[in-house]
Amino acid sequence: MPLVPSLTTALTTGYQAYYSDVYGFKSYPIIVDNLEGVEVAIFNKDVNSHPFHMHGNNFFVCVRGSLDQDPTKRLISTEYPIRRDTITVPPKEYAVIRFRGDNPGIWLFHCHMEFHVEQGLALTFVVAPYMLIANTTLPEQYKRNCDLMGIPNSGNAMGRVGLDMADEPRGPFPLSGF
Ligand SMILES: [Cu+2]
């Protein structure tokens, strides 16, 4: 976990909120511009199904298929794609989803099996940070809660100023053999 919540970091680091490094390596932050189109391809080379869930957005499910299948044989039309906030990707299958960065915020995209999150199957979309900064004021309750839990109310993922990320913990890294 970052020492400072990514939302706090976005709102207290000024222009550096646009640098993914401030959110910390382990948050796997991906900066999305305001209204930018995002496409995510999920390849499940594992023997388990993984239900991927996105916060803050409903994505279009554009393609699903088997990793062994001819990629031109699409299982879902891109003409009328379904919109979901979760898609289960079975073993040896893939899915391609799309969403538009029209909801400024810090949005987790993760496998909904919580122990897989702890193993690293999660990333963070930092959507439209300038819009987020311009339109968000954290309530006092938020700050009080952080105070009570000993969580800093400003700074980067290490609780420091700017891009000082010295001694930042790294990982998890991709498994070998895939
Ligand atoms: Cu999983």
Side-chain angles (χ1 to χ4, degrees):
M1 295 279 286
L3 185 61
V4 176
S6 294
L7 179 60
T8 303
T9 294
L11 297 176
T12 60
T13 52
Y15 71 92
Q16 286 164 332
Y18 233 87
Y19 291 89
S20 58
D21 286 353
V22 294
Y23 301 101
F25 181 93
K26 285 176 165 246
S27 301
Y28 209 100
I30 295 173
I31 310 291
V32 178
D33 280 328
N34 189 38
L35 302 181
E36 183 180 6
V38 179
E39 181 177 274
V40 182
I42 308 158
F43 298 94
N44 184 2
K45 300 176 181 176
D46 190 22
V47 294
N48 296 304
S49 290
H50 297 281
F52 280 90
H53 172 56
M54 185 174 293
H55 292 233
N57 298 277
N58 290 315
F59 51 78
F60 296 102
V61 180
C62 296
V63 186
R64 293 180 72 181
S66 164
L67 291 175
D68 303 323
Q69 190 182 33
D70 177 351
T72 60
K73 288 181 183 164
R74 295 178 165 180
L75 297 186
I76 291 179
S77 164
T78 52
E79 193 174 0
Y80 300 107
I82 57 172
R83 295 186 74 178
R84 305 295 299 268
D85 65 11
T86 307
I87 181 171
T88 295
V89 186
K92 311 301 178 191
E93 292 196 18
Y94 71 98
V96 178
I97 64 171
R98 292 178 183 169
F99 71 97
R100 191 167 294 286
D102 57 6
N103 188 16
I106 310 289
W107 304 121
L108 206 58
F109 181 61
H110 63 99
C111 177
H112 220 297
M113 299 171 90
E114 305 305 324
F115 51 95
H116 292 171
V117 177
E118 294 191 8
Q119 291 174 317
L121 204 44
L123 57 78
T124 312
F125 287 109
V126 180
V127 177
Y130 285 174
M131 296 283 286
L132 181 65
I133 293 164
N135 295 296
T136 307
T137 304
L138 290 177
E140 283 306 309
Q141 184 74 48
Y142 178 102
K143 294 173 183 170
R144 272 204 303 276
N145 285 346
C146 285
D147 287 339
L148 289 169
M149 291 186 286
I151 296 171
N153 268 309
S154 67
N156 63 34
M158 294 294 287
R160 296 196 289 257
V161 174
L163 292 170
D164 175 10
M165 301 297 288
D167 304 323
E168 176 193 11
R170 293 274 175 159
F173 300 102
L175 299 172
S176 60
F178 283 90

